[in-house]
Amino acid sequence: QVQLVESGGGLVQPGGSLRLSCAASGVKWDYYTIGWFRQGPGKEREGVSCISVNDGSTYYADSVKGRFTISRDNAKNMVYLQMNSLKPEDTARYYCAAERLGDVRLTCVMASGDYWGQGTQVTVFS
């Protein structure tokens, strides 16, 4: 049974940092693209960043380039999202998703995934 579990969300002031973690189990790790997605109040779900577990290629939404960094630890079946210089508009529920043989750009742009976690809340407030 595939399971994705996010952690690391919380409350932070503008300019602060958080590190989100996604723990995956039950997947054949090498075949997947893992992505971070978010959905803010009254907004559609959007792809933030995606990474190919196999070759490490990445994609970032324009809104987070230069501030967020996605990484993976294949030994632990973990994907991380380091978020720096957080802004109030980054406030959202962040989800981890896995798409089998997904293209890193398309997975993010289409906000697609075969499996989804329950999400973790990130709130950036003054």
Side-chain angles (χ1 to χ4, degrees):
Q1 182 177 355
V2 177
Q3 190 172 20
L4 300 174
V5 179
E6 304 95 334
S7 61
L11 300 174
V12 64
Q13 292 186 327
S17 298
L18 285 173
R19 187 194 194 207
L20 305 184
S21 298
C22 173
S25 60
V27 296
K28 196 166 181 63
W29 187 243
D30 289 352
Y31 290 171
Y32 282 83
T33 287
I34 309 295
W36 284 99
F37 303 83
R38 66 186 181 187
Q39 188 164 16
K43 298 181 180 179
E44 293 187 354
R45 185 172 294 181
E46 64 170 335
V48 175
S49 182
C50 293
I51 187 166
S52 167
V53 169
N54 184 38
D55 63 16
S57 57
T58 59
Y59 171 87
Y60 294 93
D62 288 342
S63 58
V64 305
K65 279 181 182 177
R67 300 189 297 124
F68 291 10
T69 303
I70 193 169
S71 62
R72 76 206 194 284
D73 184 336
N74 288 355
K76 298 180 180 179
N77 282 19
M78 297 285 294
V79 171
Y80 306 98
L81 186 68
Q82 178 66 43
M83 305 187 296
N84 298 329
S85 302
L86 282 162
K87 305 175 181 180
E89 52 262 44
D90 294 317
T91 294
R93 191 162 185 84
Y94 284 70
Y95 299 88
C96 171
E99 183 168 43
R100 191 174 186 276
L101 301 178
D103 174 85
V104 287
R105 178 183 176 277
L106 288 177
T107 296
C108 264
V109 170
M110 301 301 292
S112 58
D114 297 318
Y115 304 101
W116 291 81
Q118 293 300 306
T120 185
Q121 180 67 33
V122 172
T123 302
V124 185
F125 72 103
S126 298

